[in-house]
Amino acid sequence: MRIEKLGMGDPELAVVAAIHGDEPCGAHAIEALLEEEPNVKRPVKFIIANERALERGVRYTETDMNREFPGNRDAEVDERRLAYELLMELAGCTTLSLHSMRSEERPFAIVNTVGPIATAICPYLSVEAVVETAGLLGPSLVDYTPVVEVECGIQGTEQATINAKRIIREFLAATGVLLDNDVLDRCSVPVYRLREQLLKRESESTSCAFHVENFEPVLDGKPYATIDGRVLTADKLFYPVLMSGSEYTKQSGYAAELTGSLG
């Protein structure tokens, strides 16, 4: 785990990247910012969480770090120990965590619940939506510390890195670390709450096709996927989130409800 700090004093703000080693956009964005050596008004720490996986270009070396929180400091499994160490580093910090994915180009934010931190920060970020997990994602970082996670775009793309760079600057401007009026623009952003998991294909050989887009409403009775020739239809209005045949192993995505907006 690599940790860098800008500014004097103990940071109450942090930026985290590379919890998954196959999502390099956040690490590239942090490196670019550190090379600039910007003047900061508040101290902030930058953490590249899983250096070994990042160097190898793999999601993890032993187990998914984002499913190991709160971790164990004495664990022999690398990611389980790193999960514990990361939580210790983030104690007392408001945090931005950067990710990327395989199925959605548009950045969006993920939080446990919409509270004061999400309300204060998310309207200043270049995100299409804010998603409340409602505990459905499993034991991830958002369940254990005050954090806004942002999915910055498609894994491995230059655009995801460009998005991550801008989102870091927006976070630092919103929290008073950088005086950057070029990115400090408050906007209204819709909020969705995850309601349930959607059916996952049963094996790697199972055919799976989706007929809807993330964050677009799926009306009652409308087909949203075909799995092995079986057409799945909505039994009530929902908004698909993280809809993908390859993003997760246990489900194809999530049904969410639109609950309001921030900003």
Side-chain angles (χ1 to χ4, degrees):
M1 185 182 297
R2 177 185 171 191
I3 303 168
E4 302 283 351
K5 188 178 79 167
L6 291 177
M8 302 296 293
D10 294 328
E12 296 179 346
L13 300 164
V15 178
V16 177
I19 286 179
H20 294 134
D22 61 351
E23 300 174 7
C25 63
H28 294 334
I30 286 175
E31 293 281 5
L33 183 72
L34 292 175
E35 286 180 6
E36 294 177 14
E37 298 182 349
N39 292 323
V40 296
K41 304 301 179 182
R42 298 177 63 187
V44 56
K45 66 172 68 174
F46 299 88
I47 302 173
I48 297 177
N50 196 340
E51 287 186 286
R52 184 177 299 175
L54 180 65
E55 290 170 359
R56 297 179 183 179
V58 297
R59 191 168 184 81
Y60 50 81
T61 60
E62 297 178 86
T63 187
D64 188 339
M65 182 177 172
N66 209 29
R67 297 295 179 266
E68 290 297 330
F69 293 104
N72 186 327
R73 66 179 177 183
D74 299 318
E76 294 184 4
V77 176
D78 200 29
E79 279 87 3
R80 195 166 298 148
R81 186 176 62 256
L82 285 173
Y84 174 86
E85 293 173 0
L86 180 59
L87 280 186
M88 295 302 101
E89 284 294 331
L90 297 181
C93 288
T94 297
T95 301
L96 171 70
S97 180
L98 300 164
H99 291 260
S100 55
M101 56 184 302
R102 301 174 188 170
S103 61
E104 181 58 59
E105 296 180 355
R106 300 168 295 176
F108 63 91
I110 298 175
V111 297
N112 187 339
T113 58
V114 169
I117 290 174
T119 300
I121 293 172
C122 290
Y124 292 102
L125 305 181
S126 296
V127 294
E128 293 290 324
V130 176
V131 175
E132 290 185 291
T133 66
L136 287 182
L137 285 184
S140 61
L141 184 62
V142 297
D143 299 308
Y144 289 93
T145 193
V147 60
V148 174
E149 290 190 352
V150 175
E151 298 284 354
C152 297
I154 302 296
Q155 280 179 238
T157 64
E158 180 61 26
Q159 188 60 53
T161 298
I162 292 170
N163 294 342
K165 290 178 181 178
R166 181 170 182 85
I167 287 164
I168 289 177
R169 299 195 75 91
E170 290 167 339
F171 171 75
L172 297 181
T175 53
V177 175
L178 296 178
L179 297 180
D180 195 339
N181 292 327
D182 290 339
V183 299
L184 198 58
D185 186 17
R186 188 177 179 91
C187 298
S188 178
V189 58
V191 178
Y192 301 85
R193 181 181 295 119
L194 298 186
R195 190 172 71 203
E196 61 182 330
Q197 296 179 356
L198 296 173
L199 181 65
K200 175 67 178 179
R201 55 186 185 177
E202 296 178 358
S203 70
E204 289 301 319
S205 62
T206 304
S207 63
C208 182
F210 298 103
H211 314 307
V212 295
E213 298 291 334
N214 286 318
F215 303 115
E216 298 297 327
V218 180
L219 301 179
D220 182 13
K222 180 179 178 179
Y224 65 87
T226 302
I227 297 181
D228 269 356
R230 181 164 59 97
V231 178
L232 306 181
T233 59
D235 57 7
K236 59 182 174 180
L237 171 69
F238 77 90
Y239 294 82
V241 175
L242 293 166
M243 185 76 86
S244 168
S246 59
E247 205 74 46
Y248 295 103
T249 59
K250 295 182 179 180
Q251 68 279 338
S252 293
Y254 296 86
E257 56 188 2
L258 178 64
T259 61
S261 63
L262 294 177

